[in-house]
Amino acid sequence: MSRPDSSQHQASARVPLATPARSMNRLAKHFAHRVPVSRAEDHARIDFPEGVCTLKAEATMLCIDIESTAAATLERYQEVVARHRADFEQRAHAT
């Protein structure tokens, strides 16, 4: 992934899932209780205080891209999004 602005820190993940749109919607709905979120059928944007997370649901893949102005903040956002995604998947398989 290219860096258009050297002050931005970026990370990307591609997560293979059976239901990527469902996972994307759960993440967006969860974070909408805390920060601004916009959603469409196959993508969502989460506006964190110091960065942004974009989610894109493909046929069998959830694409997650996170940008932040600080490396430490980027790492924290990565951990939070990954933890919530894993929690939602675990709950989905437990039922």
Side-chain angles (χ1 to χ4, degrees):
M1 190 171 203
S2 64
R3 286 192 202 190
D5 180 351
S6 62
S7 65
Q8 289 290 315
H9 299 272
Q10 301 175 341
S12 298
R14 303 295 179 259
V15 184
L17 296 169
T19 56
R22 180 177 175 183
S23 295
M24 178 199 72
N25 284 317
R26 283 185 169 183
L27 283 168
K29 185 176 178 181
H30 173 78
F31 284 109
H33 294 285
R34 293 165 178 77
V35 296
V37 171
S38 58
R39 276 191 289 178
E41 186 175 327
D42 67 343
H43 62 276
R45 177 185 168 109
I46 303 166
D47 291 307
F48 291 120
E50 297 177 48
V52 63
C53 174
T54 55
L55 306 169
K56 180 162 178 29
E58 296 180 348
T60 59
M61 188 89 53
L62 179 62
C63 303
I64 305 169
D65 296 301
I66 303 174
E67 294 182 10
S68 179
T69 56
T73 304
L74 174 65
E75 187 174 322
R76 187 173 78 240
Y77 291 155
Q78 285 179 276
E79 291 170 359
V80 168
V81 171
R83 184 176 65 244
H84 283 88
R85 191 204 56 77
D87 287 349
F88 295 148
E89 288 301 310
Q90 186 176 22
R91 286 184 207 148
H93 292 301
T95 57

